Amino acid sequence: AARVAARGEEGYPSDPMVVVLGRPTAGELGGQQVDVRVHASAERVVVELEDSPSQGLGAVGFRSARTAMTRLAAASTLTELTDLLAHEVRDLTGFDRVMVYRFDAEWNGEVVAEARRADLNPFLGLHYPASDIPAQARRLYELNPIRLIADIGYTPVPLVPLLDPQSGRPLDLSHAGLRSVSPIHIEYLGNMGVTASMSISILIDDRLWGLIACHHYAGAHRPGQEARSAAEFVTQVASHLIAHRERADARDAAVLTQGEMTLLSARLSATDDDVLDALFADPALLSVFGATGAANLFQGTLRTVGEVPDLTTMLAISEAVDEPDTYLSSTDHLAGLDPRFVDVAGIASGVLRVGSLPEQWGMWFRPEQRQVVDWGGDPTNKRLAAEEGADVRLSPRKSFEKWREVMSGHGVPWEPWHLEAAEELGRTINSLLLLRSREQVAMAESMQRSVVLDRAPEFAGVELTARYRPASTYQLGGDWWDAFELDERRLAFAVGDVAGHGVAAASAMTQVRTALRAYLYDGHTPGGCLDRLDRLMDGLLGIGVATALVAVLDRETGLVEIASAGHPDPLLVRDGTAEELVLERRPLLGVGTGTAPSSVVDLSGGELLVLFTDGLVERRGSDTEVQTARLLDLASGAGGAAVSTDVLAWADLVLAELDTPDDDTTLLAVRLD
């Protein structure tokens, strides 16, 4: 009793205990070894007792789990990992069939791995509609990660009393493993010939990624609590490995895409032909994005490659997909935006659009993803159906048409790196067009606004403020800033200034910014990125000179690695005092010589790092040192806006006090939140 009471105070479901009941008395249980599971439920402590196996699977569960984890950790692909997981859970629990079942974005499921008895039909690759596991059931899977139905022929036992005398409410059984099951689910299992089942939730970032579904066909089956806990623990470990593998695969794909985009941009920059003609002759236009067709409308001229709808339809698609005030928009279910596009689902179910003007855009197209689902198993395998009886359905046939309706008109979803690549390519094309046309100043202004945004993005654990002011005598300039995630813990920040103003400077700025992003994504240090950018500008781009400052912040340690190429030194503000960080610099970008040393700054104490361009401290007729001293005073609290309380207000004050009409001005301030 004392052990049970202590477990009840923990609140959440506890690990199972093995308890031997006391000596039996008349009409009571006793002298029996049982598994005990305890958890709190409102005002009550719920105690669940099950027969404890004295040997077999339950007795070796945790000893096998350690070996299972070692094998899982050695998996090199997601497919190998899920396949191993299915086999390990089957070895631990002894079910006839164990499946790893993965959800898609709309909660439809697919069996991605399976371990089964040799005489059973394979379910690997089968799909099931979201309606098979409704939202309330998915919520319970998140609350209670493991669920066992030891015998679908069990007789439900009512709770006595029905209502808690103390609270007047039914007992909360959300975490109970022995609570009764929906009759509909029992019927569903019976239709599949299943006599016992168990499910284990695969949770990633507290969200249901999938399930391990265990089926038994040879009568009741109750693995011991120890075996079930071991299987649950192995699944938790596998969940972390799956998350790590997916993130690693995403990073690899993003780096590959960035590399291909850099090469494509270089080829377009070097061509003497029309830039858009060269783009639509390059195979990378489709391959980089996994698209089957692409189209561009520019100054009334339409260019296409691959399979695309007719012009009238594309104009309507562009209007439907376009989102106001955004440069990029996308969908993988075009017919969901407008039913009139159902007829073009075979060509354009997925659409990715770039463009800031209704009459000038680029679009990529993907066809609908057709799924053919066999709900009845392999029709050539008669033996299993005969053994289970003619009235047994291996899966509910009524769901077949419903599944095809759910998937109708959906294309393969666009990955984040495809969206970023499209945005970068659109900006690169705009910059190249601007270099070759004096009549496109308005487009260049729109392009610059899409690159140098008015506000900074939000990142977890970091306070970031950015401000950009163009010179009043020019609408286009070479100043820019950038901020983006490299991986789960690192953020990259950059400010730069390409010499000059107007179309050429804005176009050069876009190319420099794009190349710098690619180098950072490829894993190079800030100094290494600047050195490579220098060689690129000097040997290929031919766009003059530029300054830049690149910083990479580790959000866990607070350390920032910084490198500078001829750029003004940043400020560091701590405890109301500002100081200028004097960095070792490499020469200007574009001169083709020199290397960039790196410096490390610690922001773990709440320090504010301020990066800016020379427009903030250089002014005609004024000493730069005087302007810098004024900036330091403002960073130390002069003027009324305190950095420690409101960085945004302070940045606006600095621009109001120091902004110059002679040059572009950029300011970027960052600190750990």
Side-chain angles (χ1 to χ4, degrees):
R3 292 173 62 191
V4 170
R7 288 291 180 91
E9 294 176 358
E10 297 175 4
Y12 294 99
S14 61
D15 293 333
M17 299 182 293
V18 177
V19 174
V20 177
L21 300 178
R23 186 179 300 278
T25 58
E28 296 183 1
L29 294 174
Q32 180 180 357
Q33 180 174 290
V34 294
D35 287 332
V36 179
R37 191 168 180 265
V38 184
H39 64 87
S41 175
E43 298 88 354
R44 301 294 180 182
V45 173
V46 177
V47 181
E48 299 180 274
L49 285 77
E50 299 181 47
D51 289 339
S52 178
S54 58
Q55 58 184 358
L57 290 168
V60 299
F62 278 106
R63 292 197 295 273
S64 301
R66 187 184 187 94
T67 305
M69 288 186 294
T70 302
R71 287 191 288 262
L72 290 172
S76 58
T77 66
L78 185 59
T79 299
E80 183 182 356
L81 176 58
T82 53
D83 184 67
L84 279 170
L85 178 59
H87 284 83
E88 298 296 349
V89 171
R90 183 167 186 248
D91 289 344
L92 287 167
T93 60
F95 278 92
D96 289 336
R97 184 197 306 272
V98 173
M99 298 168 286
V100 178
Y101 182 90
R102 180 178 184 176
F103 295 112
D104 65 13
E106 296 184 353
W107 298 109
N108 303 303
E110 178 186 2
V111 179
V112 296
E114 180 183 46
R116 58 184 170 84
R117 210 175 65 201
D119 61 326
L120 295 175
N121 276 346
F123 283 1
L124 183 64
L126 294 186
H127 295 74
Y128 297 87
S131 56
D132 277 11
I133 305 178
Q136 61 270 29
R138 293 195 299 268
R139 178 58 182 159
L140 286 175
Y141 282 126
E142 292 178 347
L143 290 174
N144 196 358
I146 188 165
R147 187 79 167 97
L148 172 68
I149 306 173
D151 184 358
I152 71 166
Y154 76 98
T155 300
V157 178
L159 284 174
V160 179
L162 181 61
L163 300 178
D164 189 322
Q166 187 173 350
S167 66
R169 297 188 299 269
L171 183 64
D172 180 10
L173 294 177
S174 298
H175 294 291
L178 297 180
R179 72 176 186 273
S180 192
V181 185
S182 164
I184 296 176
H185 186 58
I186 293 296
E187 180 185 359
Y188 181 84
L189 293 174
N191 289 340
M192 298 179 72
V194 174
T195 56
S197 77
M198 187 174 77
S199 64
I200 310 174
S201 303
I202 302 176
L203 298 172
I204 294 180
D205 296 330
D206 297 324
R207 188 173 186 268
L208 198 61
W209 181 91
L211 293 172
I212 297 180
C214 307
H215 289 172
H216 208 67
Y217 302 94
H221 184 64
R222 182 188 294 275
Q225 283 271 24
E226 187 179 356
R228 281 139 57 186
S229 295
E232 182 182 3
F233 180 65
V234 168
T235 303
Q236 290 174 353
V237 172
S239 298
H240 292 294
L241 294 173
I242 289 170
H244 175 76
R245 172 52 54 193
E246 287 191 327
R247 290 168 184 147
D249 290 346
R251 285 195 299 269
D252 291 346
V255 168
L256 178 62
T257 300
Q258 283 289 334
E260 292 175 338
M261 282 299 305
T262 299
L263 294 175
L264 175 58
S265 297
R267 290 195 296 270
L268 295 175
S269 299
T271 185
D272 293 327
D273 299 330
D274 180 271
V275 173
L276 290 173
D277 287 345
L279 175 64
F280 274 75
D282 198 312
L285 178 61
L286 295 182
S287 63
V288 168
F289 301 94
T292 55
N296 171 261
L297 183 63
F298 179 67
Q299 293 184 342
T301 300
L302 177 68
R303 293 172 176 84
T304 66
V305 63
E307 192 172 9
V308 300
D310 60 77
L311 176 58
T312 301
T313 302
M314 284 194 290
L315 291 173
I317 291 173
S318 174
E319 182 179 359
V321 175
D322 187 20
E323 298 177 5
D325 303 322
T326 63
Y327 180 70
L328 179 143
S329 53
S330 66
T331 180
D332 58 15
H333 188 200
L334 180 60
L337 298 179
D338 192 327
R340 60 182 166 155
F341 297 124
V342 169
D343 294 340
V344 295
I347 299 175
S349 287
V351 180
L352 175 55
R353 181 193 186 278
V354 293
S356 55
L357 298 174
E359 68 279 5
Q360 294 183 168
W361 42 257
M363 289 193 292
W364 288 264
F365 302 99
R366 287 176 173 174
E368 66 179 336
Q369 183 186 24
R370 297 185 180 275
Q371 295 287 344
V372 179
V373 182
D374 182 4
W375 292 100
D378 184 355
T380 64
N381 190 345
K382 306 291 186 180
R383 183 166 58 87
L384 179 60
E387 290 175 355
E388 294 179 335
D391 59 334
V392 171
R393 294 177 293 162
L394 295 181
S395 55
R397 294 183 183 273
K398 292 183 179 179
S399 297
F400 180 77
E401 292 298 330
K402 190 173 185 179
W403 166 254
R404 296 193 67 180
E405 181 180 356
V406 169
M407 293 305 295
S408 176
H410 286 258
V412 176
W414 303 99
E415 299 291 353
W417 49 90
H418 292 139
L419 304 182
E420 185 169 336
E423 193 169 10
E424 292 294 338
L425 179 59
R427 292 168 177 167
T428 299
I429 292 297
N430 282 344
S431 67
L432 293 174
L433 290 172
L434 288 170
L435 285 171
R436 304 180 185 193
S437 175
R438 299 178 180 177
E439 303 175 356
Q440 300 303 315
V441 174
M443 181 188 292
E445 293 171 355
S446 174
M447 176 272 297
Q448 188 178 34
R449 286 194 296 271
S450 71
V451 172
V452 186
L453 304 177
D454 292 328
R455 64 180 61 185
E458 294 183 0
F459 302 111
V462 172
E463 184 178 6
L464 181 66
T465 298
R467 284 290 182 264
Y468 169 74
R469 295 288 185 272
S472 60
T473 53
Y474 300 93
Q475 294 301 311
L476 296 171
D479 269 26
W480 55 274
W481 65 268
D482 202 0
F484 56 97
E485 288 185 324
L486 290 174
D487 52 41
E488 296 174 345
R489 59 187 288 176
R490 296 186 304 146
L491 299 178
F493 307 95
V495 293
D497 185 2
V498 176
H501 293 283
V503 171
S507 302
M509 174 269 293
T510 304
Q511 295 178 70
V512 169
R513 179 180 179 273
T514 300
L516 180 58
R517 272 201 169 203
Y519 293 143
L520 284 166
Y521 270 121
D522 204 31
H524 299 291
T525 64
C529 291
L530 291 177
D531 294 341
R532 285 168 173 78
L533 194 57
D534 172 60
R535 293 193 291 271
L536 177 68
M537 291 175 59
D538 178 61
L540 179 61
L541 298 182
I543 56 177
V545 296
T547 69
L549 193 151
V550 182
V552 174
L553 167 65
D554 187 323
R555 283 181 282 189
E556 292 187 8
T557 66
L559 297 181
V560 184
E561 184 179 1
I562 307 178
S564 175
H567 200 80
D569 290 326
L571 303 185
L572 187 68
V573 185
R574 59 161 66 91
D575 299 327
T577 302
E579 63 176 320
E580 192 174 4
L581 291 177
V582 180
L583 304 177
E584 292 185 69
R585 310 176 192 171
R586 61 153 288 119
L588 297 174
L589 298 174
V591 299
T593 185
T595 58
S598 294
S599 301
V600 176
V601 180
D602 189 355
L603 302 186
S604 62
E607 295 83 355
L608 179 75
L609 181 66
V610 182
L611 289 63
F612 55 93
T613 54
D614 57 11
L616 196 62
V617 294
E618 293 182 1
R619 181 176 299 179
R620 292 178 185 176
S622 178
D623 193 326
T624 300
E625 293 183 0
V626 174
Q627 291 294 100
T628 302
R630 177 60 178 152
L631 174 60
L632 288 169
D633 287 342
L634 291 171
S636 299
V643 173
S644 60
T645 57
D646 192 341
V647 179
L648 190 61
W650 174 81
D652 290 336
L653 171 66
V654 168
L655 290 178
E657 291 284 335
L658 300 179
D659 192 14
T660 170
D662 302 324
D663 199 1
D664 304 325
T665 302
T666 300
L667 184 148
L668 186 70
V670 59
R671 67 181 171 190
L672 294 179
D673 190 353

